[in-house]
């Protein structure tokens, strides 16, 4: 089985998965929780609730309502930042209309804290990416032929970026269709996915490094293909064990971590795919590009 031969098909599959998500990000954006935007979240249990009516009641107290969502009898209202006195007034107004209403939770985050959270999340992703590239370049420093060590790091980051874009795209679509919000758990999931993706990619790269030492006469693409076939079962089996645990968490873990688990599921599946079908294939593409460039160099000088 020659996986490297069909690399363009694998790249096309990645594009088909990523592009709709990126279009969703461009046109719909990501629904940010108050952890990033600042504001208040009030959750109440109200039997036979009407979302539009609740919104009208809250706005009658001169409170700006951003979104209202409902799960069963629980209604979640996002508003501008509220003080405790304002919150009590809002709850009292809702209870007048719905006597059986009960407050479940209330949280307020200022806009400054929300902005800092977003900036720190971005910094974490950037710093992790740079650290990963440097580590891989250092780990593969003795591999200079036929591909430089730093190129392994860049290809690993490209695969990692693939996984991050897949998950972000999925959540942009989920946000538009089901009002799923991005919170700090989502950032935690992204960083976890980055670590898992790179771990899987390094296993493949390490086997490529070993086979390059053993098979000096073989073509680079043949060495890469052999390495992929040798590590594929390990990568798939490792991912399956993780996925089984995540599916169990999705079923029994409860609402509080549901979307965190969904993000991990999407990321682990994408990470396994990109490690096998993208990262190493990119090395081959880069190798062939450099090879053609070197062959053309003498002609360009004449």
């Amino acid at each position: 089985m020659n996986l490297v031969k069909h690399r363009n098909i694998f790249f096309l599959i990645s594009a088909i998965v990523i592009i709709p998500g990126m279009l969703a990000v461009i046109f719909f954006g990501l629904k940010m929780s108050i952890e990033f935007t600042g504001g208040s979240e009030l959750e109440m249990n109200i039997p036979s609730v009407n979302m539009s009516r609740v919104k009208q009641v809250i706005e009658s107290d001169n409170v700006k309502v951003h979104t209202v969502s409902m799960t069963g009898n629980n209604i979640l209202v996002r508003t501008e930042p509220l003080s405790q006195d304002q919150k009590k007034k809002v709850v009292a107004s809702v209870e007048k209309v719905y006597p059986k209403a009960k407050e479940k939770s209330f949280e307020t985050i200022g806009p400054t804290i929300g902005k800092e959270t977003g900036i720190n999340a971005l910094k974490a992703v950037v710093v992790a990416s740079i650290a990963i590239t440097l580590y891989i370049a250092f780990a593969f420093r003795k591999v200079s032929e036929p591909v430089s060590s730093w190129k392994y790091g860049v290809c690993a980051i490209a695969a990692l970026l693939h996984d991050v874009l897949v998950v972000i795209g999925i959540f942009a679509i989920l946000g538009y269709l089901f009002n799923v919000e991005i919170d700090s758990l989502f950032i935690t999931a992204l960083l976890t996915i980055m670590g898992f993706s790179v771990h899987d990619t390094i296993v493949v790269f390490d086997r490529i490094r070993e086979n390059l030492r053993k098979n000096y006469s073989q073509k680079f693409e043949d060495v890469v293909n052999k390495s992929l076939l040798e590590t594929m079962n390990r990568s798939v089996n490792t991912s399956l064990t993780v996925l089984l645990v995540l599916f169990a968490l999705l079923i029994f873990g409860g609402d509080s971590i549901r979307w965190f688990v969904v993000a991990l599921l999407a990321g682990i599946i994408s990470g396994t795919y990109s490690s096998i079908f993208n990262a190493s294939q990119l090395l081959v593409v880069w190798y062939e590009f450099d090879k053609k460039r070197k062959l053309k160099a003498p002609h360009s000088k004449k």
Side-chain angles (χ1 to χ4, degrees):
M1 181 166 57
N2 194 334
L3 296 175
V4 175
K5 181 181 178 181
H6 302 292
R7 58 184 175 274
N8 289 333
I9 295 175
F10 301 135
F11 293 152
L12 179 61
I13 292 171
S14 293
I16 290 171
V17 173
I18 290 173
I19 290 173
M22 291 302 96
L23 290 175
V25 171
I26 293 168
F27 291 108
F28 309 135
L30 294 166
K31 286 194 177 295
M32 300 292 184
S33 72
I34 63 168
E35 293 179 32
F36 297 107
T37 61
S40 294
E41 270 188 359
L42 174 63
E43 185 177 10
M44 300 186 74
N45 182 276
I46 311 174
S48 305
V49 66
N50 182 295
M51 287 196 297
S52 299
R53 178 61 177 144
V54 170
K55 184 178 179 182
Q56 289 175 359
V57 171
I58 295 173
E59 288 180 337
S60 68
D61 288 325
N62 296 319
V63 173
K64 184 179 178 181
V65 176
H66 296 308
T67 60
V68 181
S69 59
M70 187 169 62
T71 305
N73 289 330
N74 293 329
I75 188 165
L76 183 66
V77 183
R78 284 184 59 198
T79 70
E80 61 185 333
L82 300 177
S83 65
Q84 284 294 326
D85 290 338
Q86 287 175 308
K87 186 265 293 185
K88 289 177 182 178
K89 187 177 178 182
V90 166
V91 172
S93 297
V94 174
E95 288 175 344
K96 283 182 181 179
V97 180
Y98 296 96
K100 294 183 179 179
K102 292 181 180 179
E103 179 185 343
K104 291 193 68 178
S105 64
F106 176 73
E107 181 182 13
T108 295
I109 294 178
T112 303
I113 296 174
K115 186 177 179 180
E116 287 179 358
T117 303
I119 292 172
N120 288 335
L122 181 61
K123 285 180 180 177
V125 173
V126 172
V127 169
S129 300
I130 294 171
I132 288 167
T133 304
L134 293 175
Y135 169 74
I136 294 176
F138 177 77
F140 287 78
R141 63 191 182 281
K142 294 182 180 179
V143 180
S144 57
E145 292 295 337
V147 178
S148 300
S149 61
W150 64 270
K151 292 179 181 178
Y152 285 85
V154 173
C155 289
I157 293 301
L160 181 153
L161 183 62
H162 167 283
D163 304 333
V164 170
L165 292 179
V166 166
V167 177
I168 289 175
I170 288 173
F171 270 74
I173 295 170
L174 289 173
Y176 177 71
L177 296 176
F178 305 109
N179 289 316
V180 177
E181 296 180 341
I182 302 300
D183 57 13
S184 58
L185 275 179
F186 177 78
I187 302 302
T188 303
L190 278 187
L191 293 171
T192 304
I193 290 163
M194 289 169 65
F196 187 92
S197 174
V198 170
H199 168 268
D200 229 14
T201 301
I202 287 177
V203 170
V204 179
F205 283 176
D206 197 51
R207 185 57 59 91
I208 292 173
R209 177 173 61 176
E210 290 177 2
N211 286 332
L212 281 172
R213 292 171 179 171
K214 297 176 184 177
N215 304 279
Y216 298 104
S217 59
Q218 277 193 342
K219 293 181 179 179
F220 181 65
E221 52 264 42
D222 292 335
V223 173
V224 170
N225 190 68
K226 180 181 179 182
S227 303
L228 287 171
L229 295 176
E230 290 175 351
T231 56
M232 185 183 294
N233 284 339
R234 177 203 176 281
S235 297
V236 172
N237 289 335
T238 301
S239 298
L240 280 175
T241 57
V242 177
L243 291 175
L244 288 173
V245 174
L246 291 176
F247 274 118
L249 281 173
L250 186 62
I251 296 170
F252 303 110
D255 293 339
S256 61
I257 61 169
R258 175 183 298 163
W259 297 114
F260 170 70
V261 174
V262 169
L264 286 178
L265 279 169
I268 298 302
I269 293 170
S270 176
T272 304
Y273 180 89
S274 65
S275 297
I276 298 171
F277 300 112
N278 290 142
S280 302
Q281 317 285 13
L282 285 172
L283 274 177
V284 176
V285 171
W286 205 334
Y287 163 76
E288 291 184 345
F289 174 78
D290 285 343
K291 187 177 179 182
K292 290 178 182 178
R293 184 169 54 82
K294 288 176 182 177
L295 288 173
K296 289 180 181 180
H299 299 286
S300 61
K301 292 179 181 178
K302 292 180 180 179

